[in-house]
Amino acid sequence: MENPVIILGAQTVGTAALDAFLSNDVVVYCLLDDDQKLQGTELLDVPVMGNTDDGELLKLLGKKCEVFVATEDTASRRSLTQMLRTEYEAVPVNAIHERASVSNHATLGHGNYVGPNAVVAATATLGNGCLLGPNSVVEARATVGDYAQLGSGALLGADVQVGEQAFVGAGAVIVAGVKIGDKARVGAGSVVVADVPNGQTVFGNPAVKV
């Protein structure tokens, strides 16, 4: 990546994204965060300079800077990404840690974070704005919908489908062929052996509705 990156969000997701970029020797120009307590501070020696809608800094996007959206809240990530597209014609780049393994034969959208030691296998597909925690695994032909999140060590078996804005907790296992609906939530450590409807929360081994 030739251009430096501006990261929108300087908290947990922002820290992870910053570490991913730095692991690849990508220059991060600054972080932006709406928490005024963070503004004027530094994160891993990179300055936190202003709000996530700072027009003076965002006008650098395009020819001079790239952007990554790293806010904690899914709705916020979606709205900021839409704002970047409409107002600045900017599309977020992917933040893939140096120690992640992403197959050249996987399909990735924009603005995804792939943490250290995470694996995205050949023929797997990630949408836009997905967060894949450290040591998570997406096996062959599995698909992860836009703005979905996988916790550390989560495992998606072959042909699994994870819907948009779904959440799969740390260490959860989704067995091959299972479908996780949009905005569904899977508790940490669960083993999911049956489809989960849209918006439903499941937990346990085997996972059942909560």
Side-chain angles (χ1 to χ4, degrees):
M1 193 176 304
E2 296 181 1
N3 291 335
V5 177
I6 294 175
I7 298 176
L8 307 188
Q11 300 182 43
T12 304
V13 179
T15 302
L18 174 59
D19 181 57
F21 286 122
L22 295 179
S23 77
N24 290 290
D25 296 322
V26 173
V27 174
V28 177
Y29 182 76
C30 69
L31 299 101
L32 302 178
D33 198 280
D34 295 335
D35 186 345
Q36 293 187 348
K37 294 178 182 177
L38 295 174
Q39 295 170 13
T41 66
E42 290 188 345
L43 182 60
L44 306 182
D45 298 323
V46 177
V48 183
M49 296 181 67
N51 291 327
T52 54
D53 59 356
D54 189 317
E56 286 301 306
L57 288 167
L58 294 180
K59 71 181 182 182
L60 298 173
L61 300 180
K63 295 181 179 179
K64 295 183 179 179
C65 284
E66 306 291 347
V67 66
F68 183 83
V69 180
T71 52
E72 310 298 301
D73 178 63
T74 301
S76 172
R77 289 207 313 279
R78 291 184 68 199
S79 63
L80 282 171
T81 300
Q82 186 61 38
M83 178 271 290
L84 292 169
R85 289 174 182 269
T86 56
E87 296 186 23
Y88 298 94
E89 297 182 353
V91 176
V93 294
N94 290 317
I96 300 174
H97 197 281
E98 179 194 28
R99 296 203 314 273
S101 175
V102 178
S103 171
N104 290 333
H105 304 288
T107 301
L108 275 67
H110 301 287
N112 296 299
Y113 164 74
V114 183
N117 303 314
V119 176
V120 181
T123 67
T125 300
L126 303 184
N128 300 309
C130 302
L131 303 179
L132 274 60
N135 303 300
S136 57
V137 176
V138 182
E139 293 190 349
R141 299 180 304 279
T143 60
V144 182
D146 293 349
Y147 303 101
Q149 182 172 349
L150 306 184
S152 300
L155 170 62
L156 305 185
D159 297 299
V160 164
Q161 297 179 32
V162 174
E164 294 186 9
Q165 302 180 60
F167 175 83
V168 178
V173 175
I174 316 298
V175 302
V178 165
K179 297 180 181 179
I180 307 297
D182 296 344
K183 297 184 179 180
R185 299 181 66 83
V186 176
S190 298
V191 177
V192 184
V193 298
D195 293 353
V196 179
N198 293 347
Q200 190 171 100
T201 298
V202 298
F203 180 75
N205 179 10
V208 294
K209 181 180 177 180
V210 176

